[in-house]
Structure formats: structure tokens, C-alpha cells
Amino acid sequence: MCANLLSSTPFSTIIAPSDFTRSLPPTHSARLQLSSFTRYPSGFKLATYRPLNLRFSSTMALQNQCENSSCSQLQDSLFYSRAFWVTKSIIAWNVGGGEDECYLYASRKAALCVDDDGIQGHDVKIKLERTNYGLPQQVIEKFPHIRDYAAFEVPKTLDFQSLVKCQLAVGIFNSDGKCASATGLQLPGILDELFSYTGPLGAIFATEAVSLYLWAPTAQAVQALIYKSPSEVDPVEIVQLKELDGVWSAKGPRHWEGCCYVYEVSVYHPSTLRIEKCVSNDPYARGLSADGKRTLLVNLDSDDVKPEGWDNLQHEKPKLLSFSDVSIYELHVRDFSANDPTVPHEFQGGYLAFTLQDSAGVQHLKKLSSAGVTHVHLLPTFQFAGVEDEKDKWKHIDIEILNSFPPDSEEQQALITSIQDEDGYNWGYNPVLWGVPKGSYASNANGPCRIVEFRKMVQALNRIGLRVVLDVVYNHLNASGHIDDFSVLDKIVPGYFLRRNVDGGIEHSTCVNNTASEHFMVERLILDDLKCWAVDYKVDGFRFDLMGHIMKRTMLKAKSLLNSLSTENNGVDGSSIYIYGEGWDFGEVANNGRGINASQFNLFGSGIGSFNDRIRDALLGGSPFGHPLHQGFVTGLYLEPNGHDLGDEANVKRLLTVSTDHIQVGMAANLKDFVLTNCDGQQVKGSDVLLHDGKPVGYASSPIETVNYVSAHDNETLFDIISLKTPKDISVEERCRMNHLATSIIALSQGIPFFHAGDEMLRSKSIDRDSYNSGDWFNRLDFSYNSNNWGVGLPPKEKNERNWPLIKPRLADPSYKPQKSHILAAVENFLNLMQIRYSSPLFRLRTANSIQERVRFHNTGPSWIPGLIVMSIEDGHQEVPGLSQLDPIYSYIVVIINPCPTDVSFANPALREKSLQLHPVQMNSIDDVVKNSTYDASSGCFNVPARTTSVFVEPR
């Protein structure tokens, strides 16, 4: 009977009822109208979003019917979705036990209303039967956060495909027949069971036709509006798509190529409680109009969008023998060239700046490549919100005016922030469409220009020896709802793509609008997108933003998919694509709250890299969320106190010893099972060394699972944090050596070294802790090496005002500002470190077993010399039992790291009678200090200058 009733009226005839605006209850409103969020533990990012204009509808009769307060309270319950349709046969709801009766209601016109007598306005009412055995195990595994909910059986004879297109609600009734509770439903479970789909999606080009495919099982109608050009007001054609098993499709002529289109989707939207006509881009868009409002029909396989030699690029890519050989340089596309006078104005800040062989920036990248750096990691380059793609809409501040203010003035930040949402700058962590290159980086945002220029950038970087990593942000979306121009997925299948809490509100722990990779078609979209970038843009790696908010299953599938790509079948070698990300475990996914997530600990054995925040915090001190003056290993902890109270001398010394343990575990690739002697003289594993909260330091199974870093785009730059944490009375030369020291530890550790662009140039953002929207002014890079951008005004007030009293006197003091000679020395030092790393495979051991067998730390236990790290790496000899020989040049390496303000001597009987000498790169460097490092073979004694890392090698 239900199925017949539902099918009696064609969905194409449905007209949305008249609407009225209604306020949300305070808790619901507060949850959905997020204006900002703190991201952690890597740093802070602020994203400002327009408040959602939520509209609810009903007929006037039903509105009048619900005017009394009790009815209003029950009616408000439909604003929530607290029940879960988890499988075709089960609805889960957190209601108490008893003999109460429960019903499922459906309305094709979204006319449901609740009063004391129940839910009114329905087309269908279906009785549900409570079970006594709870939710099945497979449901609990998919939805662990509702494991204790009651299970209600749904009749098997229903027309489920029609039901999911309706407004749905469940109600439970007391024995006296009164409605005790009612709520809407969350549908991802049943949608995954009934509509999981692996066929074509997006625009598919054939010889004679273009076909459109859209997955939208809850839609009542879908049509495509075809526009001849991005600016045409009226469509040249309106095409009705036909549905089969939740997939809507249409076939059109080949001459559609080059046109633009949007979908108009008629669908029930839970944010408004009505049937909405949502106008949206294609989630599988591969091109866009300049305003981002229309999808461009572009064939990525067409020769018209391929640079010369594109199909042969795989054969030109730099060699990569092992992921252990990877080193990463993190760079923002606009930072790279926006302020480079050697780049033509029309190329500044864009993709084509990377193709100019003689620009200052490209010359710098060539130096890095020649020294050994293998990968350039580009901050988001997909279509993101926050920057108009049409450059003529940008606002600017006169540079001369900004230059006229003192180095500690508030004026610069006031001017920059006055236009920060209307200029050309944003980091880009505001995803709109994952599969389209950002238009603002192209010379022309209309047409296929962004595609061609992106490909030219990848080609140019590969040809100078650098592989390209994309920063992908699959954990959240910029917008949701049925109105926002930047909302896409939430218009196509509302309530499915975004992760929701137990009330039905969207989770915002990542920033805003968390996505739900635990849902089949969300995971599929992520995998399809990765394949597109790998095959169609030939990128060489992916960095996953807030990877811990993605399920481990998704990440393993991503790794397997990419690894399966071959030069013969796909034009790329997927086995050389490295993936890594932020494995932070927080929010609703923490402790596997939504399934096994891709957190640091869960990725053990996966071969997927995750950022090692342990070594970062031990080196710098505290954490990005602690007191800014908390010192660490390289910033003077115990050795050069800055006056910040960390307890008595014994406690501060203990902090240094513990930090040193953390660093040594990190230098051994942060391996879970690496055995070392800790500061108490005990033999322990990396997982036995604990953080302040009791969590293990070591968590990796192999070196490629650890990405060691000391700075990244989040938080202050390395030079800035050193300038903030160190005592005021030390010199800029000493701060520069601390910068070198921190970089050296990352460069010479086992695992994957990661560097923020500018670390090697003493880069400053005027101590801005979160420059995501601070404009070109605070984010400037100067590849002429004349300035490191220190002292360009107090950093933007919004994120930094609390620290202004600490920042202001430092910016005002001219002695803090490095000169060109300091910057040149820093660049030389960095290049030397990378040359040393790539001078021996012993710095890039490929297995945990090799690291355990060959790497030792010598200044350990209670009798240690405070602050000093002494690491040795041993190689074997041909035809000699024991260790195999890996390095044909060096048989033994000793790295000594001295953060002390004075020279330090260290002797160890185990290091006597060796033929050690200072590494030839350091012997030939311009750093006269390191050349004073000595080794005496008879005593095994080393002498290392203050704030210096010395590398000794034993030639064969």
C-alpha cells in the first residue's frame, strides 16, 4: 500500500509549498552559524563564513495548526535529524525502551508538521517494530557513535527508492496515543546500501556525444542548463536528466564541448525542511567559468589543453629510487612570485611564474634541486573560496604607504586586513571544487587556460628536477546549504556528503562543514579526484590536510589506487607517488569515534607518512598552543633562559633531557620499536618514551611513515619563533645559527625531511602566527636575498593581538633584523645540509631494521652533557659478515649537534681509533665556525663549536 501511494504521483509534478522564514532554536542556530574555528595541533586558521539563511516551509494551514507552544516545541524537533536509517531494514534511534509505538512518515511535498496527536501532512505512515537485539555488528562498525541506539525494523516491501526522495520523520507515541518525540532522519546508511555506484560520473566525452552523469538518489528532478558562454544570461538548452538507480544522466551533441552548464536539482533539503530547487556546479567539474558559478565542459584528453611534450612527461620526471629519498619544500603558488621583480607582471603570483627559467625564484629552486631537494609541495591549488578568480576585482594597498610606517606599527596590518577578503591572497583551505585548478593563479580564469597553465607548471618543475606534491583538503568544504554559491555537494545530495552529529547538525571540528569519507560515495569522490590529479595533471604526491578526519580505509584505498597506475595504461608511474598528511586525532573522529581514522597511531604499517609534531615541539619548546616564550632544545631551554618561569633549575633541566629523548626518537624516524637509552639510562622503545599527556612519542613502523619538520605554513616561521623565544640580549648572528641548527636536525634525521619555504632564507612574517589571509605583505618571499621580511609591522590583530606586547619591542629593535649577509649564509648552510644528506644513503635508510642496526645515540643516560646530541650511523663492508654495505664512499658517520652557547667536547671509547674527518661539504663551506670542529682518534674526543651541527665521516 505504501509503495503504491508513493508512486501514484509523478515526482516531476511536485511543486514546493509556499515558504515562511523561521528562526532556529538557539542551540541549533549556534551550531550552524559558525564564524571561526581554531585548527590544531599544527596551527590556527580562521575562516569566516556567511551565516546560513535557513528557511523552513509548510502550508498556511499547518502553520496555523502549530501555533500553540507545545506543538511549536514538537515542530522544532523536525529541525533535527536524530534518527538514522542505517540499512534498508533498520532505523536506529536513541529512545528509551517500552511498549511505545513508532512510525515512519513521508511527505513528497515536505509538508510534515508535529502536534500532540502526531505528525501531520504525511503521504505515508509506516509502523516500525522495535527489536530486542540492538544494532547489527556491521552497522556498529559503520556508525560506532550510535552503537547503543535502539533498532527498529522497517517493512521489506517498501518502495525505498521513492521514500528517500521525501521529507522523512519518525515519531514515537505513548500508551495514551500522544506523540512523545519526533525527529528527522539521517540517510547515509540506506543510501550506501541501495545506491553505491561505480559507473561514470561527470561529463564523459565520446566521438559523437557528450554524456552527463550525476549521482543524486534523493533528487526528485534534475535538469542541466547549457550556456554557450560563461557570460550568457539565458541557457541555450535545458536538458531533463533521466534517473536509473539514483544516477541521473543525459546525452548531448559533441559541440557542447566548450559550453558551460549548471545543474538544477529539485530535492528535499534538511536545512530548510522544504523541497528546494538548488542550482549547482557538477561535483565532478573539470573546468569552471571565471566567476566559478558554471561548470566548463572541457575534455582533459584533448590536445588543445596539453602543452607540447605533455604526453611524454613521465619519461622526463626526476628519478626516485625510494620514498626514503624524498625531501619536501612547502611553497604557496602566490608567495613564490607575487613580489619577484624578475617575473613579468602578468605572470606574478601564478602558475606560469614556474616556467620562467631565469627568474630569481626559479634560480633558487634550481639550487635546491641541485642540492638534493626532491619535491615541491604546493599549498592548495584546487578551486577555493576567498579569492576572486577575476583579477580586476582585487583591491590593493599602495606599497609605498606600507613602507612608510615603522617596523612595529599597527598601521600596516590595519590596511592589509581592511581588504583581506577582497585582495588576491589566501592560503586556499576553503575548498569549493576539488577537481579544478584555481582560476586566480591562471592568466585567464575563463576557458581552459587554468588547465594548460597548471600542466605547464608541473612540466617546468619536473624538468628542473623537482616533483610536485598537491595539498588536498578532503576533510571539509567551504560552504553548505541550498543557497550559497560555493555550496556544491550539499545541494546535490543534502545531508550525505557532510558529516553530521547525533542531532543532525553539520560537524565543524576541522574548520567548517566536515566531510564524511566513511560514506561510500564521498570516498569514491576522493579517490576519483586523486586519480584525476595523478593521471590528468601528472602530479607526484599528495599531502592530506587534517588527514586524521579521513578514514584509514579511504587512505589505504587511495594508496592502492595510486600504486596501481602504470606508465603503459595511465601515462604515469603511480608507484612513485608519495602520500602523507596531518594525522591529528581530535574532534568527532578522535579515538575512532566514526570508524578507524587515519591518525598517526592508526597508520602504523601503512606506508603513509604523517607529520611528526613531537620533534617540532621538542626543538622549539612547548607547542603552538602553549605560552609563546616556552623554550625548547634549539631556543635556549636550560642553556640560555629567557626569563619565562618553567619551574626550578632541576625541573628545567629535566625538560631539556626529556626533549632530547623526543628528538632522538624523531631522528630515528620516530619508530615505535626503535630501542635507545633514555635520559634515565634505561633501554626503551620509541613507544615507551612518552609525551606530557602520556601518549607515545614513537608511532611509525618505517621511515617513510614519518615526516619530520620544525616549521610549516601554520604558526610562526622558524626564524620568527626563534626570535620570540630566545633571550633579548643575544645577537642576530646567534639567532641565525639557531635557525641553522634546527634545520640541520630535520635535514640529517631518518625519515622524510619537510621544510617550509623560506626556512633556508630566515623567512619572517613579522611574527604572524597565522598568515592564511594576511596578504602578500606579510607573506613575502625575497629571492634576491635582500630582505627576510622582518619588521613589516605588527602582525594582524585578529590572531596576534594577545602577543603584541611581546612582539612590538622585538620588531622595534633594529638588532633583530638580519642583513643580506646573514640570509646568504643561511641559504648556503641549507644547501650544504641537503648535499650532506644526499652524499650518503646512510642518512636515508629504507627500513626500520636498518635504522635499529646502524643508528646509535651516544650522549645518553644520567651522566650526559646537557643539550648535546651525538648520533652515529654505521655501514658494513663488502665480504665481511654482519652489516651489508650500503655506501661506497663512507663506512661510518657521526653527527654532533651542539645547541649550547659555548664549545663542547665529548669523548666516547666506542668512537676511538676511527678515521673520522669533517665532512668535505662542511670543510669547503663558507661557515668558518663549523671548520673549527675537531676529532682526536686516540681519545675518541670531539670538539664542536657553539650552536653548530658537525658531521664527521670515515672514508673507505
Side-chain angles (χ1 to χ4, degrees):
M1 180 179 131
C2 301
N4 292 337
L5 180 58
L6 278 168
S7 59
S8 62
T9 305
F11 279 101
S12 59
T13 66
I14 292 177
I15 301 173
S18 59
D19 58 44
F20 65 97
T21 301
R22 181 163 184 170
S23 300
L24 283 170
T27 55
H28 199 81
S29 177
R31 183 174 64 251
L32 293 179
Q33 296 188 21
L34 182 75
S35 62
S36 65
F37 193 82
T38 300
R39 304 225 5 224
Y40 64 64
S42 62
F44 294 90
K45 291 177 190 169
L46 178 76
T48 302
Y49 300 86
R50 292 177 293 281
L52 299 177
N53 179 20
L54 299 178
R55 297 163 62 83
F56 303 95
S57 68
S58 179
T59 62
M60 289 302 294
L62 288 173
Q63 180 184 356
N64 294 334
Q65 190 176 327
C66 293
E67 283 180 348
N68 67 77
S69 60
S70 63
C71 182
S72 176
Q73 185 176 1
L74 281 168
Q75 170 66 13
D76 286 349
S77 64
L78 295 187
F79 300 159
Y80 302 90
S81 298
R82 290 171 171 151
F84 296 73
W85 202 338
V86 290
T87 70
K88 186 170 64 172
S89 59
I90 298 174
I91 288 175
W93 192 9
N94 192 24
V95 288
E99 301 301 321
D100 300 342
E101 293 187 338
C102 187
Y103 293 89
L104 169 68
Y105 299 86
S107 170
R108 296 187 304 273
K109 296 184 178 181
L112 297 182
C113 177
V114 188
D115 62 20
D116 287 342
D117 295 325
I119 297 177
Q120 311 299 327
H122 55 271
D123 302 311
V124 177
K125 178 180 178 181
I126 303 158
K127 187 173 182 180
L128 306 177
E129 297 295 335
R130 184 193 292 265
T131 70
N132 296 320
Y133 44 79
L135 296 174
Q137 185 59 35
Q138 73 270 20
V139 171
I140 293 173
E141 289 175 3
K142 187 175 178 68
F143 303 104
H145 60 300
I146 60 168
R147 63 174 61 246
D148 296 323
Y149 280 31
F152 293 85
E153 286 189 343
V154 181
K156 298 178 180 179
T157 58
L158 300 180
D159 181 355
F160 297 102
Q161 294 201 8
S162 297
L163 275 172
V164 298
K165 298 177 184 298
C166 298
Q167 180 188 18
L168 298 169
V170 288
I172 196 161
F173 293 81
N174 297 326
S175 56
D176 59 3
K178 295 293 184 181
C179 183
S181 184
T183 187
L185 276 80
Q186 298 188 37
L187 303 182
I190 187 174
L191 295 183
D192 278 353
E193 181 179 351
L194 296 181
F195 301 104
S196 293
Y197 170 74
T198 58
L201 288 171
I204 306 299
F205 292 84
T207 304
E208 301 295 333
V210 178
S211 298
L212 300 178
Y213 296 90
L214 180 71
W215 186 77
T218 61
Q220 297 183 357
V222 178
Q223 56 185 13
L225 283 61
I226 313 295
Y227 296 87
K228 189 174 183 181
S229 72
S231 58
E232 291 288 330
V233 176
D234 299 317
V236 294
E237 196 171 347
I238 298 177
V239 181
Q240 303 293 331
L241 277 69
K242 296 181 180 179
E243 183 188 13
L244 178 63
D245 295 331
V247 178
W248 299 77
S249 63
K251 182 178 288 188
R254 195 63 162 77
H255 65 71
W256 273 4
E257 185 174 359
C259 294
C260 293
Y261 69 104
V262 294
Y263 287 124
E264 185 180 84
V265 182
S266 296
V267 64
Y268 171 73
H269 209 293
S271 71
T272 64
L273 304 186
R274 59 176 287 179
I275 308 300
E276 298 289 355
K277 281 193 174 181
C278 299
V279 177
S280 172
N281 277 300
D282 190 333
Y284 277 74
R286 297 295 177 244
L288 283 174
S289 59
D291 60 7
K293 294 181 180 179
R294 294 176 183 173
T295 300
L296 176 68
L297 279 160
V298 58
N299 180 9
L300 296 183
D301 289 329
S302 169
D303 289 341
D304 294 338
V305 294
K306 294 179 180 179
E308 184 178 352
W310 178 251
D311 288 333
N312 295 318
L313 182 59
Q314 177 59 43
H315 304 293
E316 299 182 60
K317 285 185 177 290
K319 294 283 187 267
L320 184 68
L321 299 179
S322 165
F323 287 145
S324 290
D325 295 331
V326 168
S327 55
I328 302 168
Y329 185 76
E330 182 199 42
L331 182 62
H332 184 270
V333 170
R334 185 161 179 82
D335 288 354
F336 176 65
S337 61
N339 296 285
D340 188 345
T342 66
V343 174
H345 177 72
E346 62 271 22
F347 290 178
Q348 286 180 340
Y351 301 128
L352 291 181
F354 291 90
T355 68
L356 303 172
Q357 294 301 303
D358 297 324
S359 73
V362 170
Q363 289 297 314
H364 184 79
L365 292 182
K366 287 179 179 179
K367 293 176 188 175
L368 300 182
S369 174
S370 296
V373 173
T374 63
H375 288 63
V376 167
H377 159 170
L378 298 175
L379 266 66
T381 51
F382 49 74
Q383 186 66 15
F384 58 81
V387 175
E388 292 280 357
D389 286 349
E390 298 165 294
K391 296 178 178 62
D392 58 357
K393 295 181 179 179
W394 296 353
K395 292 185 177 179
H396 306 270
I397 301 293
D398 190 322
I399 296 296
E400 294 305 317
I401 293 175
L402 294 170
N403 281 328
S404 70
F405 298 118
D408 61 337
S409 171
E410 297 181 27
E411 298 298 326
Q412 297 95 325
Q413 64 86 30
L415 289 170
I416 294 299
T417 56
S418 71
I419 63 162
Q420 66 179 4
D421 295 325
E422 300 170 277
D423 64 356
Y425 197 88
N426 197 287
W427 280 348
Y429 293 91
N430 315 312
V432 177
L433 285 162
W434 292 327
V436 184
K438 177 60 177 169
S440 65
Y441 296 144
S443 58
N444 181 356
N446 270 318
C449 191
R450 65 177 82 194
I451 297 166
V452 177
E453 293 181 4
F454 191 101
R455 286 172 162 175
K456 286 183 176 180
M457 174 184 68
V458 174
Q459 189 178 52
L461 285 167
N462 282 177
R463 286 176 173 172
I464 63 171
L466 293 168
R467 289 174 168 257
V468 178
V469 173
L470 293 194
D471 198 325
V472 288
V473 186
Y474 295 128
N475 63 82
H476 74 275
L477 292 166
N478 175 261
S480 59
H482 73 293
I483 294 176
D484 198 307
D485 288 339
F486 297 138
S487 175
V488 177
L489 295 176
D490 200 41
K491 291 178 178 177
I492 303 297
V493 191
Y496 178 82
F497 287 95
L498 302 181
R499 185 178 290 135
R500 297 199 280 170
N501 60 31
V502 293
D503 288 332
I506 297 169
E507 293 281 10
H508 297 304
S509 57
T510 61
C511 184
V512 71
N513 299 317
N514 297 6
T515 54
S517 69
E518 58 270 28
H519 302 161
F520 182 90
M521 294 303 287
V522 182
E523 179 179 84
R524 185 198 157 168
L525 178 56
I526 292 171
L527 297 177
D528 288 346
D529 192 68
L530 289 168
K531 185 176 180 179
C532 173
W533 287 110
V535 173
D536 295 318
Y537 291 96
K538 302 184 189 300
V539 302
D540 307 292
F542 297 95
R543 176 266 190 191
F544 287 75
D545 183 66
L546 295 185
M547 179 175 64
H549 269 66
I550 299 171
M551 293 300 109
K552 177 182 178 180
R553 179 194 69 183
T554 306
M555 293 302 302
L556 292 177
K557 287 183 179 180
K559 186 173 184 290
S560 177
L561 168 70
L562 295 171
N563 191 60
S564 72
L565 302 176
S566 67
T567 306
E568 296 74 24
N569 297 327
N570 310 101
V572 296
D573 176 14
S575 66
S576 66
I577 296 176
Y578 181 59
I579 61 176
Y580 60 101
E582 296 176 303
W584 321 134
D585 191 36
F586 69 98
E588 76 282 358
V589 301
N591 303 312
N592 302 320
R594 294 301 182 98
I596 300 174
N597 61 323
S599 65
Q600 290 169 326
F601 296 109
N602 287 341
L603 288 175
F604 180 86
S606 67
I608 296 170
S610 65
F611 284 97
N612 179 11
D613 52 337
R614 282 87 159 129
I615 198 169
R616 175 202 66 188
D617 292 347
L619 288 170
L620 299 179
S623 79
F625 316 100
H627 196 285
L629 296 184
H630 190 134
Q631 291 176 284
F633 182 87
V634 300
T635 56
L637 179 64
Y638 180 70
L639 304 170
E640 291 179 282
N642 61 10
H644 176 61
D645 185 10
L646 290 173
D648 60 23
E649 182 178 353
N651 185 66
V652 177
K653 185 177 182 180
R654 179 68 181 177
L655 286 174
L656 178 60
T657 62
V658 169
S659 295
T660 305
D661 281 351
H662 293 186
I663 294 165
Q664 290 175 159
V665 174
M667 293 186 74
N670 219 55
L671 296 174
K672 178 181 178 180
D673 295 324
F674 178 79
V675 178
L676 74 161
T677 302
N678 70 5
C679 57
D680 297 318
Q682 301 168 333
Q683 292 280 303
V684 296
K685 292 182 178 181
S687 58
D688 297 326
V689 180
L690 304 179
L691 299 170
H692 64 90
D693 59 2
K695 292 180 179 178
V697 169
Y699 56 77
S701 74
S702 73
I704 66 171
E705 291 178 7
T706 293
V707 178
N708 281 320
Y709 77 116
V710 72
S711 72
H713 64 275
D714 280 321
N715 309 311
E716 297 88 348
T717 67
L718 177 57
F719 182 80
D720 281 349
I721 201 67
I722 288 171
S723 298
L724 195 59
K725 290 177 179 286
T726 49
K728 292 182 180 181
D729 58 357
I730 70 171
S731 68
V732 68
E733 286 80 13
E734 292 169 299
R735 293 192 182 93
C736 291
R737 292 203 69 82
M738 290 176 172
N739 195 102
H740 306 339
L741 196 74
T743 303
S744 73
I745 294 170
I746 301 302
L748 302 177
S749 293
Q750 303 294 330
I752 309 300
F754 176 99
F755 306 98
H756 179 41
D759 280 355
E760 77 285 11
M761 299 187 295
L762 309 176
R763 182 183 188 177
S764 173
K765 298 179 183 179
S766 218
I767 320 189
D768 189 350
R769 66 170 291 111
D770 186 6
S771 67
Y772 85 102
N773 204 16
S774 299
D776 295 328
W777 179 254
F778 287 99
N779 286 286
R780 285 185 299 181
L781 281 171
D782 181 2
F783 292 111
S784 71
Y785 313 132
N786 286 312
S787 169
N788 76 330
N789 209 43
W790 173 269
V792 295
L794 285 168
K797 182 177 183 178
E798 183 180 29
K799 288 296 186 72
N800 300 281
E801 185 180 18
R802 184 179 64 176
N803 290 334
W804 275 3
L806 296 174
I807 296 171
K808 188 176 178 64
R810 288 166 170 80
L811 296 181
D813 186 343
S815 71
Y816 272 77
K817 185 176 179 64
Q819 303 304 306
K820 184 171 185 175
S821 59
H822 298 124
I823 299 170
L824 288 170
V827 173
E828 173 77 8
N829 177 275
F830 182 81
L831 297 176
N832 289 344
L833 288 169
M834 298 312 295
Q835 288 168 9
I836 291 171
R837 179 176 182 84
Y838 288 95
S839 71
S840 172
L842 298 178
F843 287 113
R844 309 185 311 280
L845 297 173
R846 298 183 181 182
T847 67
N849 189 53
S850 291
I851 294 172
Q852 184 64 68
E853 289 178 333
R854 299 167 188 266
V855 176
R856 294 287 183 273
F857 294 97
H858 298 275
N859 182 38
T860 58
S863 60
W864 75 313
I865 298 172
L868 192 72
I869 292 178
V870 181
M871 177 181 73
S872 67
I873 315 173
E874 183 179 1
D875 200 15
H877 299 271
Q878 287 185 353
E879 301 179 0
V880 176
L883 292 176
S884 60
Q885 180 179 319
L886 302 177
D887 189 340
I889 301 174
Y890 304 122
S891 61
Y892 204 86
I893 296 174
V894 177
V895 178
I896 303 185
I897 301 160
N898 176 20
C900 303
T902 57
D903 294 5
V904 169
S905 294
F906 173 80
N908 189 319
L911 300 175
R912 292 171 56 186
E913 305 302 334
K914 293 190 177 293
S915 302
L916 291 166
Q917 60 189 45
L918 193 63
H919 197 290
V921 170
Q922 291 188 321
M923 281 298 299
N924 297 318
S925 74
I926 62 171
D927 183 2
D928 291 330
V929 175
V930 74
K931 294 177 184 178
N932 292 323
S933 306
T934 62
Y935 165 72
D936 179 67
S938 62
S939 62
C941 183
F942 298 83
N943 188 78
V944 177
R947 302 188 185 90
T948 297
T949 294
S950 302
V951 181
F952 296 88
V953 292
E954 184 175 67
R956 292 194 180 276

